[in-house]
Amino acid sequence: MATATATVTDLYPTRGTAEVTVPRQDPVVWGAPDTPGPIATADLQAYERDGFLAVDQLITPDEVEVYRRELDRLVSDPAIRADERSIVEPKSKEIRSVFEVHRISEVFANLVRDPRVVGRARQILGSDVYVHQSRINVKPGFGASGFYWHSDFETWHAEDGLPNMRTVSVSIALTENHDTNGGLMIMPGSHRTFLGCAGATPKDNYKKSLQMQDAGTPSDEALTALAGEYGIKLFTGKAGSATWFDCNCMHGSGDNITPFPRSNVFIVFNSVENTAVEPFAAPVRRPEFIGARDFTPVR
């Protein structure tokens, strides 16, 4: 099993013989309270408390149409479908996600650079940021599968080598999020407890986990305890709304068995002061289109 660089302490052990819980060792909001940015002070305090921040309208309806057309173009392109960055549904064989969209598409590259987007990331993380991961998620009606409960940081720490919890994600809705079409669920406050999962990481685990989470999956007992302590928040909202959430939030989403599609663009910003080292609990790094090794700040 690969180990991290000797000078980097593993604050969050995981993928061992048993589950472990560790109190968070890192700040939630890294920037100073008076750091200028698009997030109001009260909202920043709520993010620190809950681990997430919902924005009713991050982008306008006209902009939603631009990004939705670009999503449709990408998922209908045979060359994109054949690319390893595209992940397909195990049953329907329809595209589920396309990774590294900020490199594939100039339209989504512009979204990453938008001050409304990157400005919030810099404000939360207190530094310049780079894109650790980007993707579009397509959740068509009638059977698109969900994502089981997990902490992103557990995977990014174990398999990508991110040392600290200094990473924030934003999910921007490109279709309406109903309470019935497989929306995002988060356990508020769960970002303050790290759950180290049991079980070794298989080689090339990403090939399976991007379709169906296995390694890095919490036990039913652990999830029951976390849900009992923190509860569960389901996010709904119009197209153009967004949810920002801390890398260690316990979250997931259900299957979409309704006729109503749920598509979003998902961007992960990491601090340039928290760049990846070797994986902490995996035999090899994941491919760079999943866990970036280009730490160039977003400008």
Side-chain angles (χ1 to χ4, degrees):
M1 180 175 292
T3 57
T5 305
T7 56
V8 180
T9 301
D10 185 358
L11 298 176
Y12 303 103
T14 190
R15 310 286 173 97
T17 56
E19 283 183 320
V20 294
T21 55
V22 178
R24 187 187 185 103
Q25 306 295 303
D26 295 306
V28 178
V29 175
W30 290 74
D34 57 351
T35 300
I39 306 177
T41 300
D43 288 338
L44 204 57
Q45 291 170 343
Y47 175 88
E48 184 169 28
R49 179 191 69 234
D50 298 330
F52 61 80
L53 175 64
V55 179
D56 289 338
Q57 187 180 65
L58 183 67
I59 58 175
T60 67
D62 288 344
E63 290 171 316
V64 167
E65 287 305 312
V66 171
Y67 296 123
R68 193 154 53 197
R69 284 197 301 270
E70 182 68 354
L71 179 149
D72 291 341
R73 183 188 73 80
L74 292 174
V75 300
S76 62
D77 184 338
I80 296 295
R81 183 183 178 83
D83 193 291
E84 65 175 346
R85 289 173 287 194
S86 293
I87 310 300
V88 300
E89 286 280 355
K91 294 181 180 178
S92 70
K93 304 303 180 183
E94 296 297 321
I95 288 181
R96 174 191 182 104
S97 301
V98 179
F99 280 79
E100 218 172 35
V101 289
H102 71 294
R103 294 190 182 279
I104 294 174
S105 162
E106 187 60 28
V107 173
F108 286 115
N110 289 334
L111 178 63
V112 165
R113 294 190 291 262
D114 190 307
R116 294 168 295 180
V117 177
V118 70
R120 283 176 165 85
R122 292 183 184 126
Q123 194 176 358
I124 290 168
L125 300 181
S127 69
D128 278 333
V129 297
Y130 71 93
V131 177
H132 177 69
Q133 184 186 105
S134 72
R135 66 180 188 261
I136 48 174
N137 292 323
V138 185
K139 214 171 189 181
F142 298 120
S145 54
F147 290 90
Y148 198 68
W149 291 104
H150 64 286
S151 154
D152 287 331
F153 179 75
E154 191 278 337
T155 297
W156 298 337
H157 183 69
E159 301 185 39
D160 298 339
L162 295 192
N164 296 97
M165 295 179 182
R166 197 170 181 180
T167 314
V168 63
S169 301
V170 60
S171 175
I172 305 172
L174 300 182
T175 53
E176 185 166 358
N177 288 314
H178 303 281
D179 58 4
T180 52
N181 66 340
L184 175 68
M185 296 180 288
I186 291 179
M187 297 184 187
S190 60
H191 62 304
R192 296 196 175 276
T193 301
F194 176 75
L195 179 62
C197 297
T201 308
K203 186 179 179 181
D204 290 340
N205 178 57
Y206 77 93
K207 292 181 180 179
K208 181 180 179 182
S209 67
L210 296 178
Q211 293 179 328
M212 186 67 68
Q213 188 83 2
D214 188 6
T217 301
S219 69
D220 290 352
E221 293 78 11
L223 289 170
T224 299
L226 287 171
E229 181 174 357
Y230 298 117
I232 296 173
K233 164 73 174 177
L234 170 66
F235 292 89
T236 59
K238 298 288 187 182
S241 63
T243 305
W244 292 83
F245 59 102
D246 179 83
C247 58
N248 191 47
C249 282
M250 190 61 67
H251 66 288
S253 63
D255 296 349
N256 182 12
I257 62 171
T258 75
F260 309 114
R262 178 181 168 261
S263 299
N264 68 297
V265 55
F266 183 78
I267 306 164
V268 180
F269 293 101
N270 188 39
S271 168
V272 296
E273 299 172 11
N274 187 44
T275 53
V277 295
E278 290 305 308
F280 284 85
V284 294
R285 302 173 180 174
R286 297 195 299 175
E288 292 193 24
F289 69 84
I290 300 173
R293 295 278 161 172
D294 179 352
F295 310 133
T296 305
V298 176
R299 299 293 187 208

